[in-house]
Amino acid sequence: MSRATVLFDLDGVLLDSRGTTLAALAGIATAALGRRVTVDTLPAGAITAPREEVLAALGVPRPGELLGSCWDIAVATAPGACVFPSVLEGLAALKDAGAATGLVTLQSRTRLPWLLPPAVLDMLDVTVCWEDAEPKPAPDGILLALDRLGGTAPHALFIGDTLTDQAAASSAGIAFAGAGWGFAGPHALAAAGATAVLSSPVEIGIGLLGLIDAAAVAEQSVSADSL
């Protein structure tokens, strides 16, 4: 039987980076426009919208080029992100239960050591970053992580906090659990068809393995009904 695999998005799921992300956007916009842009004056939905679109909506010229040259600097100087409480303990519990764990993120590989402490990185069997595969909502990163771990879709779960994450999981054919504490919020995740919506990072742990089993039973039931 295939080993259970639990994959995670990073921002808003394992890492509380809301303040860092918004401050970095405001800082870049301020420097580019020559006027003060604060977190409170960013466009609505800035935390979930593509960064380039947020800057373009503010009138920043050539936002893609600017992000390419300035984003790392802005993130490094913005208020620091931190791992949500209980994440390390939850990952350790999954490992003790024999599950494989992995990260599928739009962050670059060079940023991971800034953002995650070594103890958390050591708990992840694989990390797939934006330079490794077509970014979400494409399923490529999830499928690459499964391939590297020797996992299979029926025995896997992806935990994410945005509709982009949900779409990637659906395209990859694996169960999806929404991180209700993250960027999109629990109602949007439930409406998008998440297998489950978690309410707190405390739920990261062996209970996630039960969601894989429940999704497999539901899939078998659907298959039987279609015969």
Side-chain angles (χ1 to χ4, degrees):
M1 182 175 178
S2 179
R3 183 184 184 191
T5 301
V6 183
L7 303 175
F8 297 90
D9 177 44
L10 178 59
D11 294 281
V13 179
L14 301 182
L15 189 71
D16 185 359
S17 57
R18 179 186 296 269
T20 302
T21 301
L22 293 176
L25 284 167
I28 289 176
T30 294
L33 296 173
R35 59 177 174 82
R36 183 68 187 278
V37 177
T38 67
V39 168
D40 291 337
T41 57
L42 290 172
I47 194 62
T48 55
R51 295 190 292 263
E52 187 170 346
E53 292 181 12
V54 174
L55 294 179
L58 289 166
V60 173
R62 300 186 300 280
E65 295 177 22
L66 195 59
L67 285 166
S69 61
C70 296
W71 183 251
D72 280 358
I73 297 171
V75 169
T77 55
C82 61
V83 175
F84 284 109
S86 78
V87 161
L88 180 59
E89 293 81 0
L91 291 173
L94 285 168
K95 299 286 288 180
D96 289 343
T101 59
L103 185 71
V104 182
T105 176
L106 297 183
Q107 292 283 4
S108 71
R109 189 165 300 279
T110 56
R111 289 187 209 120
L112 290 188
W114 310 350
L115 299 171
L116 290 174
V120 173
L121 286 171
D122 288 345
M123 288 292 167
L124 299 167
D125 296 307
V126 68
T127 56
V128 175
C129 299
W130 76 266
E131 59 264 57
D132 298 322
E134 185 72 19
K136 297 172 287 187
D140 302 45
I142 292 174
L143 296 175
L144 178 59
L146 285 177
D147 181 64
R148 289 179 174 175
L149 293 170
T152 60
H155 299 98
L157 177 72
F158 183 53
I159 318 297
D161 69 313
T162 66
L163 304 188
T164 298
D165 292 327
Q166 191 277 336
S170 178
S171 295
I174 76 169
F176 174 75
W181 59 90
F183 293 166
H187 300 299
L189 294 167
T195 304
V197 178
L198 311 176
S199 61
S200 166
V202 173
E203 294 179 75
I204 294 175
I206 59 174
L208 298 178
L209 303 181
L211 296 179
I212 297 176
D213 294 337
V217 170
E219 179 64 26
Q220 291 172 359
S221 176
V222 169
S223 298
D225 289 344
S226 65
L227 294 178

